[in-house]
Amino acid sequence: MFVNLIDILGTIAFAISGVMVALNKKLDLFGILIIAFVTSTGGGTLRDVLLGVRPIFWLTDTNTVYIIIATTAIAIIFRKYLKMVSKSLVLFDTIGIGFYTIAGIEKSLLVNLDPVICVAIGTISACFGGVIRDILCRRIPVIFKKEVYATACILGGVSFFALRMVAPESKWLSIVPILVVILVRIAAVRYKLTLPSLYKQKGPSF
Amino acid sequence: MFVNLIDILGTIAFAISGVMVALNKKLDLFGILIIAFVTSTGGGTLRDVLLGVRPIFWLTDTNTVYIIIATTAIAIIFRKYLKMVSKSLVLFDTIGIGFYTIAGIEKSLLVNLDPVICVAIGTISACFGGVIRDILCRRIPVIFKKEVYATACILGGVSFFALRMVAPESKWLSIVPILVVILVRIAAVRYKLTLPSLYKQKGPSF
Amino acid sequence: MFVNLIDILGTIAFAISGVMVALNKKLDLFGILIIAFVTSTGGGTLRDVLLGVRPIFWLTDTNTVYIIIATTAIAIIFRKYLKMVSKSLVLFDTIGIGFYTIAGIEKSLLVNLDPVICVAIGTISACFGGVIRDILCRRIPVIFKKEVYATACILGGVSFFALRMVAPESKWLSIVPILVVILVRIAAVRYKLTLPSLYKQKGPSF
């Protein structure tokens, strides 16, 4: 139930981030809906395609689709207020990538994959919805900006397997790594932490 | 047989639209062929991948591949005349999205999906060949321009399920919704109809 | 064993080409790793998804993932020397597309596809890792530049089926077509061969 709530929060957060990017690009109503949909479901769809899981999660979970449609409608109506809440949006988005990372790892474990592969799948699940959104909207993909984004997912994934070695039966096995993703990302945003730079001048040259 | 003919027309129309974009970007011969191929098969491929349908339709339907190769060759040879027929191309393209929308819905019904999901899959089938073409050629994806494109597909899909409630056994169940897509799109192009704008200035800001 | 060695060389070459593009775009460490990973595995992943082969090759072949991580680390450490070896990189990359073309054809034959489809799958396997890399990094996709790239793959694929008609049991059936891809590509780079132009002015207009 608690995980379900996080799942719904993640879906809503990703949908809203899609609406914000699409509004910024002045798309029309259905364009906005498509971008919201792709942002919310893209990472999980890629995960299910890679793992060969059938059906893709949103094909039979109609609630996800209704939540995205409702979120898009509400976000469009209250679009003037979206910027005012953009800080809570970073929080929602962060909850979203935290949840998707661990959900991706757990789905990968069901088909008995190596931990390194599981972390790769978890990170892809979390990040590629946003990547597809940005490519469709011709923006610089968010994970390639100088932000701790994929890094937070990878660290969360590593903490999952560390905790699993120590306490394989713990009921915290899902919750703690999600918190790790969230804390790493929020600490990075708050204190402007970045990975050590390989370059003399700053910022990506897109 | 009639549906088969529409299928072939749709494949040809999409291939020609791919050739036109690729010529505009001055790609070489094989670049043009690849874009024509991706435009024609991209939406249906994504549909089959999402639905888990195996094999992907063009893997065993070699005719589709030969039709695309032949269309590309003919379109390149007569490339000077393509602009003169560009109005009939909008018609072909529209027939194409009409057919793909309903074919996507019918394939989705075979795996017992919810009507809302079926319409989503039908719209994706119809639109994403063009989206992939535009991303590969670094153009603004056509469905995000101010044109009634995805909207026509969605209305066609809704009409399919409305008709199916009234007359589930009707032999018109495939044909009428295809006509709805075509008429909506042609009326929109003819009378320059767009969705109500959310923005003060006009046009997408790509 | 010999084929395995070529496979590893191809993976390394593609990973290095990913690192070079990512460094050029000034991505951070994990951005570089993701691009190296996508370049190396993208074409084969698309091949396995299209063919419905499960699991996707790198999910259970953990070595591929470790090779990519190690290659990325070494390439980043010695990044100053990468430009000096860029000619051998063209060679590696060419070995890579040669191998992937034939591996794609052989995997397609296992599911009894038509030769034309097999060559299409082989060419997609070889080329789309680089296409995805270039789209994520917002570059002009390499296969659309005026270079004999996809053409080399297609000619290699045709030579495979020509040789197979003459000598279906030959142990050279894998090796010779790989050499054809490599020789065509290297001859094209060396003598600046291109396909006949359809346009008056030169070069793609991206």
Side-chain angles (χ1 to χ4, degrees):
Chain A
M1 225 288 297
F2 176 61
V3 170
N4 242 330
L5 186 67
I6 294 178
D7 191 5
I8 291 172
L9 278 179
T11 302
I12 291 175
F14 277 146
I16 293 178
S17 85
V19 171
M20 291 182 78
V21 172
L23 281 170
N24 196 258
K25 291 288 182 179
K26 297 197 193 302
L27 301 192
D28 69 9
L29 282 169
F30 281 108
I32 296 169
L33 180 59
I34 290 172
I35 294 295
F37 190 78
V38 166
T39 310
S40 247
T41 62
T45 301
L46 187 55
R47 173 198 66 207
D48 288 354
V49 168
L50 290 176
L51 294 180
V53 173
R54 287 292 179 281
I56 305 286
F57 76 104
W58 55 270
L59 290 187
T60 47
D61 177 14
T62 319
N63 282 342
T64 300
V65 178
Y66 287 122
I67 289 172
I68 294 170
I69 294 173
T71 303
T72 303
I74 293 169
I76 288 175
I77 293 169
F78 294 103
R79 60 188 178 279
K80 284 179 185 164
Y81 306 96
L82 277 181
K83 278 184 190 167
M84 292 165 55
V85 293
S86 65
K87 274 195 186 164
S88 18
L89 284 175
V90 171
L91 180 62
F92 277 137
D93 179 64
T94 301
I95 294 171
I97 62 169
F99 171 78
Y100 269 108
T101 303
I102 307 310
I105 289 173
E106 285 175 343
K107 273 209 171 184
S108 305
L109 280 173
L110 288 181
V111 288
N112 293 315
L113 298 180
D114 186 274
V116 172
I117 310 284
C118 292
V119 174
I121 295 282
T123 304
I124 289 171
S125 309
C127 297
F128 267 73
V131 170
I132 299 170
R133 173 199 66 207
D134 292 340
I135 289 172
L136 288 178
C137 290
R138 292 159 53 107
R139 293 170 85 222
I140 304 166
V142 65
I143 55 164
F144 301 139
K145 288 179 189 167
K146 280 187 80 65
E147 265 185 53
V148 172
Y149 200 90
T151 312
C153 300
I154 293 170
L155 292 177
V158 170
S159 74
F160 177 92
F161 285 100
L163 184 60
R164 191 164 166 267
M165 270 201 301
V166 183
E169 305 292 329
S170 168
K171 60 179 181 178
W172 300 98
L173 194 51
S174 304
I175 308 304
V176 170
I178 294 178
L179 292 177
V180 170
V181 176
I182 294 173
L183 291 178
V184 169
R185 168 106 165 107
I186 287 181
V189 170
R190 179 75 184 77
Y191 299 106
K192 300 190 178 166
L193 304 177
T194 58
L195 290 174
S197 178
L198 298 169
Y199 315 100
K200 280 174 187 169
Q201 72 250 53
K202 284 178 183 174
S205 70
F206 270 94
Chain B
M1 225 291 295
F2 177 62
V3 168
N4 243 330
L5 186 67
I6 294 178
D7 190 3
I8 292 170
L9 277 179
T11 301
I12 291 174
F14 276 146
I16 293 178
S17 86
V19 172
M20 291 182 78
V21 172
L23 281 170
N24 197 259
K25 290 288 182 178
K26 300 199 192 300
L27 301 193
D28 69 11
L29 282 169
F30 281 109
I32 297 169
L33 180 60
I34 290 172
I35 295 295
F37 190 78
V38 166
T39 310
S40 247
T41 62
T45 301
L46 186 55
R47 172 198 68 206
D48 288 354
V49 168
L50 290 175
L51 294 179
V53 172
R54 288 293 180 282
I56 305 286
F57 76 103
W58 55 271
L59 289 187
T60 47
D61 179 15
T62 317
N63 282 341
T64 300
V65 178
Y66 287 122
I67 289 172
I68 294 170
I69 293 174
T71 303
T72 303
I74 293 169
I76 288 175
I77 292 167
F78 294 103
R79 61 187 179 279
K80 285 181 184 162
Y81 305 96
L82 277 181
K83 278 184 190 168
M84 293 164 55
V85 293
S86 65
K87 271 192 188 166
S88 16
L89 284 176
V90 171
L91 180 62
F92 276 137
D93 180 64
T94 302
I95 294 170
I97 61 168
F99 171 78
Y100 268 109
T101 304
I102 307 310
I105 289 173
E106 287 175 342
K107 273 209 170 183
S108 305
L109 280 172
L110 289 181
V111 287
N112 294 313
L113 299 180
D114 186 273
V116 172
I117 310 282
C118 292
V119 174
I121 295 282
T123 304
I124 289 171
S125 308
C127 298
F128 267 73
V131 170
I132 298 170
R133 173 198 66 207
D134 293 342
I135 289 172
L136 288 179
C137 291
R138 294 159 52 110
R139 294 169 84 223
I140 304 166
V142 63
I143 55 165
F144 300 138
K145 287 178 189 167
K146 280 188 79 66
E147 266 185 51
V148 172
Y149 199 91
T151 313
C153 301
I154 293 170
L155 292 177
V158 170
S159 74
F160 177 92
F161 285 100
L163 184 60
R164 189 163 167 267
M165 270 201 302
V166 183
E169 305 292 330
S170 168
K171 59 178 181 178
W172 300 98
L173 194 49
S174 303
I175 308 304
V176 170
I178 293 177
L179 292 177
V180 170
V181 177
I182 294 172
L183 291 177
V184 169
R185 168 107 165 105
I186 287 180
V189 171
R190 177 79 183 75
Y191 300 107
K192 298 189 178 165
L193 303 177
T194 59
L195 290 174
S197 177
L198 298 169
Y199 315 100
K200 281 174 187 169
Q201 70 251 54
K202 284 178 183 175
S205 70
F206 270 94
Chain C
M1 227 288 298
F2 177 63
V3 169
N4 243 330
L5 185 69
I6 295 177
D7 191 3
I8 292 171
L9 278 179
T11 301
I12 292 174
F14 276 147
I16 293 178
S17 86
V19 171
M20 291 183 78
V21 172
L23 281 170
N24 196 258
K25 289 289 182 179
K26 298 198 193 303
L27 301 192
D28 68 12
L29 282 168
F30 282 108
I32 296 169
L33 180 60
I34 291 172
I35 294 296
F37 189 78
V38 167
T39 310
S40 247
T41 62
T45 301
L46 186 55
R47 172 198 67 205
D48 288 354
V49 168
L50 291 175
L51 294 178
V53 172
R54 287 294 179 282
I56 306 287
F57 75 104
W58 55 269
L59 290 188
T60 47
D61 178 14
T62 318
N63 282 341
T64 300
V65 179
Y66 286 122
I67 289 172
I68 295 170
I69 294 173
T71 303
T72 303
I74 293 169
I76 288 175
I77 292 168
F78 295 103
R79 60 188 179 278
K80 284 180 186 163
Y81 306 96
L82 277 181
K83 277 184 190 167
M84 292 165 56
V85 294
S86 65
K87 273 194 186 164
S88 17
L89 285 175
V90 170
L91 180 63
F92 277 136
D93 180 65
T94 302
I95 294 171
I97 62 169
F99 171 78
Y100 268 108
T101 304
I102 306 310
I105 289 174
E106 286 176 342
K107 272 208 171 183
S108 305
L109 280 173
L110 289 181
V111 289
N112 293 313
L113 298 179
D114 186 273
V116 172
I117 310 284
C118 292
V119 174
I121 295 283
T123 304
I124 289 171
S125 309
C127 297
F128 267 72
V131 170
I132 299 170
R133 173 198 66 207
D134 292 341
I135 290 173
L136 289 179
C137 290
R138 293 160 52 110
R139 294 169 84 222
I140 304 165
V142 63
I143 56 164
F144 301 139
K145 288 180 190 168
K146 281 188 81 63
E147 266 185 52
V148 171
Y149 199 90
T151 314
C153 301
I154 292 170
L155 292 178
V158 171
S159 74
F160 177 92
F161 285 100
L163 184 60
R164 191 164 165 267
M165 269 201 302
V166 182
E169 306 292 330
S170 167
K171 60 180 181 175
W172 300 98
L173 194 50
S174 303
I175 308 303
V176 170
I178 293 177
L179 292 178
V180 170
V181 176
I182 293 173
L183 291 178
V184 169
R185 168 106 166 105
I186 287 180
V189 170
R190 177 78 183 76
Y191 299 106
K192 297 188 180 167
L193 303 177
T194 59
L195 290 173
S197 178
L198 298 168
Y199 316 100
K200 281 174 189 168
Q201 71 250 56
K202 284 178 182 175
S205 71
F206 270 93

